[in-house]
Amino acid sequence: MATITSRKEDYSKWYNELVIKADMAENSGVRGCMVIKPYGFAIWEKMQRQLDQMFKDTGHENAYFPLFIPKSYLSKEADHVEGFAKECAVVTHYRLKNSENGNGVIVDPEAKLEEELIVRPTSETIIWNTYKNWVKSYRDLPILINQWANVVRWEMRTRLFLRTSEFLWQEGHTAHANEKEAIEEAERMLEVYADFVENFMGVPVIKGVKSPSERFAGAIETYCIEAMMQDGKALQAGTSHFLGQNFAKAFDVKYQSKEGKQEFVWATSWGVSTRLIGALIMSHSDDNGLVLPPNIAPIQVVIIPIHRTDEQLDAISKIAKDLKIELNKLGISVKFDNRTEYKPGWKFNEYELKGVPVRVTIGPKDLENNQVEIARRDTLEKSLVNIEGLSVYITELLQEIQNSIFKKAKERMNSLITPVDTYEDFKKVLDEKGGFVSAHWDGSIEVEEKIKAETKATIRCIPFDAVEENGVCIYSGNPSKKRVLFARAY
Amino acid sequence: MATITSRKEDYSKWYNELVIKADMAENSGVRGCMVIKPYGFAIWEKMQRQLDQMFKDTGHENAYFPLFIPKSYLSKEADHVEGFAKECAVVTHYRLKNSENGNGVIVDPEAKLEEELIVRPTSETIIWNTYKNWVKSYRDLPILINQWANVVRWEMRTRLFLRTSEFLWQEGHTAHANEKEAIEEAERMLEVYADFVENFMGVPVIKGVKSPSERFAGAIETYCIEAMMQDGKALQAGTSHFLGQNFAKAFDVKYQSKEGKQEFVWATSWGVSTRLIGALIMSHSDDNGLVLPPNIAPIQVVIIPIHRTDEQLDAISKIAKDLKIELNKLGISVKFDNRTEYKPGWKFNEYELKGVPVRVTIGPKDLENNQVEIARRDTLEKSLVNIEGLSVYITELLQEIQNSIFKKAKERMNSLITPVDTYEDFKKVLDEKGGFVSAHWDGSIEVEEKIKAETKATIRCIPFDAVEENGVCIYSGNPSKKRVLFARAY
C-alpha cells in the first residue's frame, strides 16, 4: 500500500511522493526532463480541451511554428535576449543520412551548423519573424494565433511539473493595429485564464500586474494570475503580456493604415503550462492523495463492488453497468473497477490516492436495501443513497464538490493575505504564517531587490483591485499610494 | 487573384504553389522547418481528434516523453542506431540563467553537455528506457500508449508537409506479454490507419508488409498502407511495426510470467504524421485548388451573399444565419462570408482554392424564388435547391461528396496498378504510365537494390491480398510465389 509523507511533516516531500505515487509523472533518463504518465497526461488533456475551446470562443486559431530558433533572432529584441538567451539548449551539429549534403557533397557524419539553433524557450522571435510576411495592410490585422507546443528552458534545479527543462504549454501571439486593441486582448486573455483556473481547476487567483522587474523579457506590461498553495507559497498560474511595438520594431513588422501611413504593429503574448498541474495538486490535495475537482478529473466516478460470491458480483455488475451508462449519457466519466485480483480496501486507497471525486460502493446488503454507499473524496464523507434517482444525485454532488473545493481554497487564500505596515511585521508574517503579505512599496527596483535578498519574498503582483490609499513603503518609508502583494513563491 | 500552375504543366510546382496559396503552410526562417498556418493546422486538428478517438476506442492512453534522447540510448539497438543516428540534430551545449550551476558554482555562459543529446527522431529508445521501470509482472502488461509530438530528422531537400526536418506526428508504443498479442496489435493499428485514411481522408490505400530492406530500423516486420498520388507516384501513408523483443533486449525489459519465469517483453510501434496532409492534397485537389473531403474540411459549407442593396443583404443574411444555425446543430461547420470588401467572384475563387466542399450562393432572385444555388467543390456542379429542407439536402450532399471523392480516387488508384511479367515492360510502365507495377520478385535484397538503382522504383509493399501464383522474378528469372508492388515514391 502506497503511503505518503504528510504535508505537516514535509510539504515538499509530500508533493514529490504524491506525484509519483498517484502515477502522474516521473523523472526521465534525461536530466531535468519529465515523463508525463497517462494519468497525469489525461488531466493535461482535459485542461487543453477546455482552454482550446475558450481560445476559439474568443476568436483565436491554432498554428504551429518551428521548434528551433536561429541564435541571431533571439538577439533582435534587447530585453528578450537578456531574459532568455541564458537558459537554453543549443543545437550546434547535425548528422546526415548517407553523409551527403544537398549538393551531393560528402560531409562529415557530424557537421557543424553554420548558425547555431536554440531550442525554443518561447516563440516570440520566430513568430514575429514570420508575421513580418503576413502583415501588409490593416486588413491583415488582427492576427489571433495560439500554439500548443513543447519548450525548453535549461534548469539545474528541477521539480516535476513545477520546474522542468522541457515543459508543455500553449502560447498565444497576437498582432493588432493599435495599442488599445492589444491591451484589451492581453486583459481579455488574463480573464480567460482566471475563469479557467478558478472555475475548472477550482484554484482561486489574484489578478494583477507584475512589477517592472518581474515582467516578461520584452513586455511593456505583464498581467498575471497568482495562486496560493497550502504551504503559504505563491505560484504564478498564468501570464499575459502587452508587448507594445517592441517585437514589431525588432522584426520590422509594419502595416499600412486606413489613412495610408506605415505603422508598427502592436503585440501581445500569453501562456500557461503543465506547471498548472503542480498548482492543481498543491491547492487541493491532502495526506491521502490527490483531490481533483470534478471538471478536471479524468475519472469522475468510480464504482467498486464488494462481494463474496459470483452471484453477488453479477447482481452488482448489473446495477453498476446501468449506472455507468446513465452517467456517461450525462457526460460523466465513470470507471467500474470489477477486477478480482485487487481487494476493495486496496481499491479505496488507490482511488483516494488518485483523487477520484466520487466513489460508489455496492455490496450485497446495499442490494437488499436498494441503496449504494457514496463517498466524496474532498471531505471523505460517506452516505447511503437510494438507487432510485442516483444519477441525478451524483450529477448534483459533482457540482457541489466542484464548488466546495473552490470555496475551501478561496477561504484558505483569503486567510493567507495579511496586511502589514512595518518591515518587522512583514518578516514575521513571512516566517510564521507565510502567504501573501500586503504592504506598501515605494515603486523602486532597489527596494524590491533588497527585500528579495533579505527575505526571499518577491512582489507577486500589484492587484487590479488594490485600493488607493496614502501609505509609506515598509522598507524605505517613502510615500506609496497602493499596497502590493509580496510572497515567497514557487 | 491567385492562379496556380496546372498539374499537367508541372505537378511538383502545382503542389508547392497550392500549399502556399491555399494558406496551408510555408517555409520558415529555419532551414527545413515549416510554419503550419491556421488553415493547414485546422485540418491537422481534425485529423488528430479523429485518430485520437480511434486510439482511445482501441484501448490506448496518451502520455508524454522527453524531446531529448541521450546519444548512448540510440546506440543500444544496433539496427535502430544505423537507421536514425545519421539524420539528427545534436544538442551539445546549454546556457544557464545567472551563469550558475546547481552547486552555486559559476559556469561558462555556454557550457558543453557531459553527454550530447539527440532531438528525438522517433522515441523507441527513450520510451523503452522508461518502460524498463514500469514492467515487473505480467500484471503490468500490456502497456498501450500513444504520444502526440514533434520529431526532427535532418533533411537537406525538404518539401512542405512531405519532407521537413521537423514534423508533427503521433507514435504509439506498446508492450506485450507474448508475440501473438504484439503482432495482433501491430495489425490492429494498421487497420485503424487504413480505416482513417480511407474513410476520413477519402484516400484509398493498399495494405501490406514492407520488404526487409524497407523495414523500420529495429523492426521484425513493418506493416504499411501505401497510397497513390495523381502523378503516379506512391506515398507511404502510415506504418505499424512489430518490433519483436529487440528493444526489450536492448533496454533489458523483462517481466515475470504467470508461471514465474523472467521473459523479455514484446513490442510494437506505429505512427502517422503531418505528411498525411501532403497525401490529402495530392490525392484529390485540382487546378482550381484544394478539394477536401467533408470529414476533414475545417469549413464544410460556405454561404456567399450576392446583393446590390443593404435591404437585399439583410434579407439574405436572415436566411443565411438560420441555415447556419440549423447546420451547426447537425454538427456541420459553416462560414457565412458577408464581408463587403470582397466581391462574390473573389470569394468563389477563394473557397474553391481552399477546397470548401459545398458553396451556397444566395442572391435577390433566389429570394424571390425561395431557392439557393448549391455548388459542390469536387465536381464543380451547380444546382438550384429549394430552401425548404435545405439542411437535409446539404447533409446528404456532404456524405455523397465524401463517398464520391473516395470512389474517384479508388478508381484512379486501381487504374494505376499494372501487372507486368518482364523487366522491359516494367521500365516502360514506370516511364510512360507510372503508378504501382505489380511484378514477381525473387525476394533478394540484391535484385531490389539493382532495380532501385536502375529505375528509382522501390518495393512499396507486399500486399496482404497478393494471390499465390507460380512466377519468375522480372529481374533475375528466379522463381517467385507472389507479386509485389513497385513504384516511384514520395
Side-chain angles (χ1 to χ4, degrees):
Chain A
M1 183 55 55
T3 52
I4 47 176
T5 301
S6 73
R7 287 162 294 172
K8 212 172 171 181
E9 202 179 322
D10 187 337
Y11 191 82
S12 172
K13 207 171 162 202
W14 165 81
Y15 175 81
N16 294 341
E17 288 181 8
L18 181 50
V19 171
I20 297 292
K21 293 201 170 155
D23 246 359
M24 302 278 280
E26 64 183 39
N27 287 305
S28 77
V30 188
R31 196 189 162 119
C33 294
M34 66 180 159
V35 172
I36 306 179
K37 298 184 79 172
Y39 196 64
F41 201 83
I43 293 174
W44 180 239
E45 281 185 291
K46 287 204 95 167
M47 292 167 66
Q48 276 192 301
R49 196 160 277 214
Q50 179 60 33
L51 278 170
D52 197 71
Q53 193 55 55
M54 293 172 92
F55 298 155
K56 282 174 180 155
D57 289 345
T58 44
H60 303 85
E61 297 177 301
N62 289 325
Y64 189 77
F65 296 86
L67 170 67
F68 298 127
I69 298 177
K71 224 171 175 179
S72 59
Y73 286 21
L74 219 55
S75 326
K76 289 196 178 178
E77 211 290 324
D79 289 333
H80 193 68
V81 67
E82 183 67 26
F84 284 104
K86 285 176 193 150
E87 45 180 31
C88 291
V90 189
V91 180
T92 56
H93 287 72
Y94 64 95
R95 296 167 148 223
L96 267 189
K97 215 168 189 167
N98 304 326
S99 303
E100 186 186 305
N101 74 8
N103 307 315
V105 177
I106 303 298
V107 296
D108 287 338
E110 194 156 299
K112 210 165 155 35
L113 287 169
E114 277 178 37
E115 179 175 5
E116 290 183 358
L117 299 171
I118 303 292
V119 182
R120 62 178 163 221
T122 180
S123 300
E124 277 77 6
T125 56
I126 186 88
I127 287 179
W128 279 86
N129 188 66
T130 308
Y131 284 178
K132 178 170 58 186
N133 304 316
W134 293 5
V135 179
K136 288 187 179 68
S137 135
Y138 67 93
R139 283 189 209 87
D140 302 321
L141 296 171
I143 298 175
L144 302 172
I145 283 183
N146 175 61
Q147 162 171 279
W148 291 96
N150 53 345
V151 286
V152 171
R153 298 181 186 175
W154 211 263
E155 299 277 0
M156 293 311 275
R157 295 182 195 82
T158 60
R159 288 187 75 188
L160 293 168
F161 292 120
L162 295 172
R163 174 166 280 116
T164 49
S165 289
E166 182 193 14
F167 57 89
L168 303 182
W169 80 344
Q170 61 66 220
E171 45 181 325
H173 295 273
T174 69
H176 305 267
N178 61 60
E179 181 174 19
K180 183 167 166 285
E181 220 185 79
I183 291 175
E184 280 168 4
E185 166 76 7
E187 290 175 348
R188 181 183 307 118
M189 298 323 289
L190 192 81
E191 291 298 333
V192 166
Y193 287 154
D195 179 9
F196 170 75
V197 173
E198 295 203 325
N199 297 318
F200 286 83
M201 295 176 53
V203 176
V205 293
I206 289 173
K207 294 179 273 190
V209 297
K210 286 286 181 192
S211 62
S213 63
E214 296 280 335
R215 267 180 210 141
F216 177 77
I220 304 291
E221 190 84 275
T222 288
Y223 303 89
C224 65
I225 48 174
E226 292 287 322
M228 179 48 62
M229 304 298 101
Q230 291 179 57
D231 63 343
K233 283 173 80 176
L235 189 146
Q236 177 180 299
T239 49
S240 177
H241 316 291
F242 167 57
L243 303 171
Q245 295 176 310
N246 290 349
F247 286 91
K249 284 177 180 164
F251 290 90
D252 194 30
V253 188
K254 287 182 191 158
Y255 74 98
Q256 190 171 46
S257 70
K258 273 186 187 166
E259 296 75 31
K261 276 175 66 184
Q262 288 290 311
E263 309 261 15
F264 282 112
V265 170
W266 298 82
T268 83
S269 68
W270 28 274
V272 296
S273 75
T274 37
R275 205 167 189 236
L276 278 182
I277 299 175
L280 180 77
I281 296 169
M282 289 202 297
S283 287
H284 310 309
S285 302
D286 62 24
D287 295 345
N288 298 320
L290 292 179
V291 173
L292 295 178
N295 286 345
I296 228 78
I299 304 166
Q300 295 171 309
V301 176
V302 64
I303 308 173
I304 298 174
I306 298 182
H307 58 97
R308 252 160 291 139
T309 68
D310 285 353
E311 289 70 33
Q312 287 171 347
L313 182 57
D314 285 348
I316 293 167
S317 291
K318 208 196 149 308
I319 292 171
K321 282 174 187 168
D322 286 350
L323 179 61
K324 186 174 194 297
I325 290 168
E326 253 186 273
L327 290 172
N328 284 163
K329 270 190 205 149
L330 298 166
I332 295 166
S333 61
V334 181
K335 182 168 176 174
F336 173 39
D337 189 349
N338 58 356
R339 291 178 296 175
T340 48
E341 63 266 42
Y342 297 98
K343 295 211 187 319
W346 184 94
K347 291 179 190 174
F348 287 4
N349 278 295
E350 174 70 8
Y351 296 105
E352 238 169 63
L353 189 57
K354 293 207 162 163
V356 175
V358 170
R359 183 184 77 212
V360 179
T361 311
I362 316 179
K365 267 223 175 107
D366 297 319
L367 286 180
E368 283 169 28
N369 298 327
N370 204 39
Q371 67 186 19
V372 301
E373 186 197 77
I374 301 266
R376 52 189 278 188
R377 176 62 186 89
D378 60 334
T379 59
L380 300 171
E381 286 166 336
K382 291 177 202 167
S383 45
L384 294 170
V385 179
N386 203 287
I387 287 179
E388 217 62 47
L390 192 53
S391 61
V392 174
Y393 179 90
I394 289 174
T395 308
E396 288 170 0
L397 180 59
L398 287 169
Q399 190 54 57
E400 151 68 14
I401 293 172
Q402 181 76 32
N403 298 344
S404 170
I405 285 177
F406 175 70
K407 189 161 167 274
K408 188 176 165 193
K410 178 102 178 175
E411 281 164 8
R412 193 192 60 239
M413 184 179 79
N414 286 343
S415 77
L416 284 171
I417 303 175
T418 314
V420 300
D421 291 315
T422 69
Y423 192 47
E424 283 315 295
D425 284 350
F426 180 89
K427 288 187 283 190
K428 202 171 157 213
V429 169
L430 273 181
D431 287 338
E432 290 174 12
K433 183 182 174 190
F436 291 118
V437 189
S438 176
H440 278 283
W441 162 62
D442 67 9
S444 77
I445 292 177
E446 296 70 37
V447 165
E448 197 179 358
E449 278 177 357
K450 276 182 186 156
I451 291 177
K452 184 179 175 181
E454 291 171 20
T455 68
K456 289 187 178 155
T458 50
I459 298 176
R460 303 315 303 159
C461 73
I462 305 162
F464 286 153
D465 61 5
V467 275
E468 290 266 321
E469 61 177 35
N470 286 317
V472 293
C473 174
I474 50 160
Y475 196 89
S476 68
N478 290 333
S480 154
K481 287 286 184 199
K482 261 186 198 174
R483 288 176 185 271
V484 301
L485 293 184
F486 285 86
R488 290 180 184 142
Y490 282 96
Chain B
M1 184 54 54
T3 52
I4 46 176
T5 301
S6 73
R7 287 162 294 174
K8 211 172 173 182
E9 203 181 319
D10 187 336
Y11 190 83
S12 172
K13 206 170 162 200
W14 164 80
Y15 174 82
N16 294 340
E17 288 181 8
L18 181 50
V19 170
I20 298 292
K21 293 199 170 156
D23 248 358
M24 302 277 281
E26 65 183 39
N27 287 305
S28 77
V30 187
R31 194 186 166 124
C33 293
M34 66 180 158
V35 173
I36 306 179
K37 297 183 78 173
Y39 196 63
F41 201 84
I43 292 174
W44 180 240
E45 281 185 289
K46 287 204 94 166
M47 291 166 66
Q48 275 191 301
R49 198 160 275 216
Q50 179 60 34
L51 277 170
D52 197 70
Q53 193 54 56
M54 293 171 91
F55 298 155
K56 283 175 178 154
D57 289 345
T58 45
H60 302 85
E61 296 177 300
N62 289 324
Y64 189 76
F65 297 86
L67 170 67
F68 299 127
I69 299 177
K71 224 173 177 178
S72 59
Y73 286 20
L74 219 55
S75 326
K76 289 197 178 177
E77 211 290 324
D79 289 333
H80 194 69
V81 67
E82 182 67 25
F84 284 105
K86 285 176 192 150
E87 45 180 33
C88 290
V90 189
V91 180
T92 56
H93 288 71
Y94 64 95
R95 293 163 153 229
L96 267 190
K97 215 168 187 169
N98 303 327
S99 303
E100 186 186 305
N101 74 8
N103 307 316
V105 177
I106 302 299
V107 297
D108 287 339
E110 193 156 299
K112 212 165 155 34
L113 287 169
E114 277 178 38
E115 179 176 3
E116 291 185 356
L117 299 171
I118 303 291
V119 182
R120 64 179 161 220
T122 180
S123 301
E124 277 77 6
T125 56
I126 186 86
I127 287 179
W128 279 85
N129 187 67
T130 308
Y131 283 178
K132 179 170 57 184
N133 304 317
W134 293 5
V135 179
K136 287 186 180 70
S137 134
Y138 68 93
R139 284 189 209 86
D140 302 321
L141 297 171
I143 297 174
L144 303 173
I145 283 184
N146 175 61
Q147 162 170 278
W148 292 96
N150 53 344
V151 286
V152 171
R153 299 182 185 173
W154 211 260
E155 299 277 359
M156 293 311 275
R157 296 180 195 83
T158 59
R159 288 188 75 189
L160 293 168
F161 291 120
L162 296 172
R163 174 166 279 115
T164 48
S165 289
E166 182 194 14
F167 57 89
L168 303 183
W169 80 345
Q170 60 67 220
E171 45 182 324
H173 295 273
T174 69
H176 305 266
N178 61 58
E179 180 174 20
K180 182 167 166 285
E181 219 186 79
I183 292 175
E184 280 169 3
E185 165 77 7
E187 290 175 349
R188 180 183 310 117
M189 297 323 289
L190 193 81
E191 291 298 332
V192 166
Y193 287 155
D195 179 9
F196 171 75
V197 173
E198 295 203 325
N199 297 319
F200 285 83
M201 296 177 51
V203 176
V205 293
I206 290 173
K207 293 178 273 190
V209 296
K210 287 286 181 192
S211 61
S213 64
E214 296 280 336
R215 265 180 212 141
F216 177 77
I220 305 291
E221 190 84 275
T222 288
Y223 302 89
C224 64
I225 48 173
E226 292 286 322
M228 179 49 62
M229 304 298 101
Q230 291 179 57
D231 64 343
K233 283 172 79 175
L235 188 146
Q236 177 180 300
T239 49
S240 179
H241 316 291
F242 168 58
L243 303 171
Q245 296 175 308
N246 290 349
F247 286 90
K249 284 177 181 165
F251 289 90
D252 195 30
V253 187
K254 287 182 191 157
Y255 73 98
Q256 189 171 47
S257 70
K258 273 185 189 169
E259 295 75 32
K261 276 175 66 183
Q262 288 289 314
E263 310 261 14
F264 282 112
V265 171
W266 298 82
T268 83
S269 68
W270 28 274
V272 297
S273 74
T274 36
R275 203 167 192 237
L276 278 181
I277 299 175
L280 180 78
I281 296 169
M282 289 202 297
S283 287
H284 309 311
S285 302
D286 62 25
D287 296 345
N288 298 321
L290 292 179
V291 173
L292 295 178
N295 285 346
I296 229 77
I299 305 167
Q300 294 171 310
V301 176
V302 63
I303 308 173
I304 298 174
I306 299 182
H307 58 98
R308 251 159 295 137
T309 67
D310 285 353
E311 289 72 33
Q312 286 172 347
L313 182 56
D314 285 349
I316 293 167
S317 292
K318 207 199 151 304
I319 292 171
K321 282 173 185 170
D322 286 350
L323 179 60
K324 187 174 191 296
I325 289 168
E326 254 187 272
L327 290 173
N328 284 164
K329 271 189 204 152
L330 297 165
I332 295 166
S333 61
V334 181
K335 180 169 177 173
F336 174 40
D337 189 349
N338 58 355
R339 291 177 295 175
T340 48
E341 62 266 42
Y342 295 99
K343 293 210 187 321
W346 184 93
K347 292 179 188 173
F348 288 5
N349 278 294
E350 174 69 7
Y351 294 106
E352 238 169 64
L353 188 58
K354 293 208 163 163
V356 175
V358 169
R359 182 184 77 213
V360 179
T361 312
I362 316 179
K365 266 222 174 105
D366 297 318
L367 286 181
E368 283 168 29
N369 299 327
N370 204 36
Q371 67 186 19
V372 301
E373 185 196 79
I374 301 267
R376 53 189 276 187
R377 175 61 186 90
D378 61 332
T379 59
L380 301 173
E381 285 166 335
K382 291 177 201 166
S383 45
L384 294 171
V385 179
N386 202 289
I387 287 179
E388 218 61 48
L390 191 54
S391 61
V392 174
Y393 179 90
I394 290 173
T395 309
E396 288 170 1
L397 180 60
L398 288 169
Q399 190 54 57
E400 151 69 15
I401 294 171
Q402 181 75 31
N403 298 342
S404 170
I405 285 177
F406 176 69
K407 188 161 169 274
K408 189 176 165 192
K410 178 100 179 177
E411 281 165 9
R412 192 191 63 238
M413 183 179 80
N414 286 341
S415 77
L416 284 171
I417 303 175
T418 314
V420 302
D421 291 315
T422 69
Y423 193 49
E424 284 314 295
D425 285 351
F426 179 90
K427 288 187 285 189
K428 204 173 154 208
V429 169
L430 274 180
D431 287 339
E432 291 174 10
K433 185 184 173 191
F436 290 119
V437 189
S438 175
H440 278 284
W441 162 61
D442 67 9
S444 76
I445 292 178
E446 298 71 36
V447 164
E448 198 180 355
E449 278 178 356
K450 277 181 184 155
I451 290 176
K452 184 179 177 182
E454 291 171 21
T455 69
K456 288 187 179 156
T458 50
I459 298 176
R460 302 315 304 159
C461 73
I462 306 162
F464 285 154
D465 62 5
V467 275
E468 288 268 322
E469 61 176 35
N470 286 317
V472 292
C473 173
I474 51 160
Y475 196 89
S476 67
N478 290 333
S480 153
K481 286 286 183 198
K482 262 186 194 173
R483 288 175 184 273
V484 300
L485 292 183
F486 286 88
R488 291 179 183 142
Y490 281 96

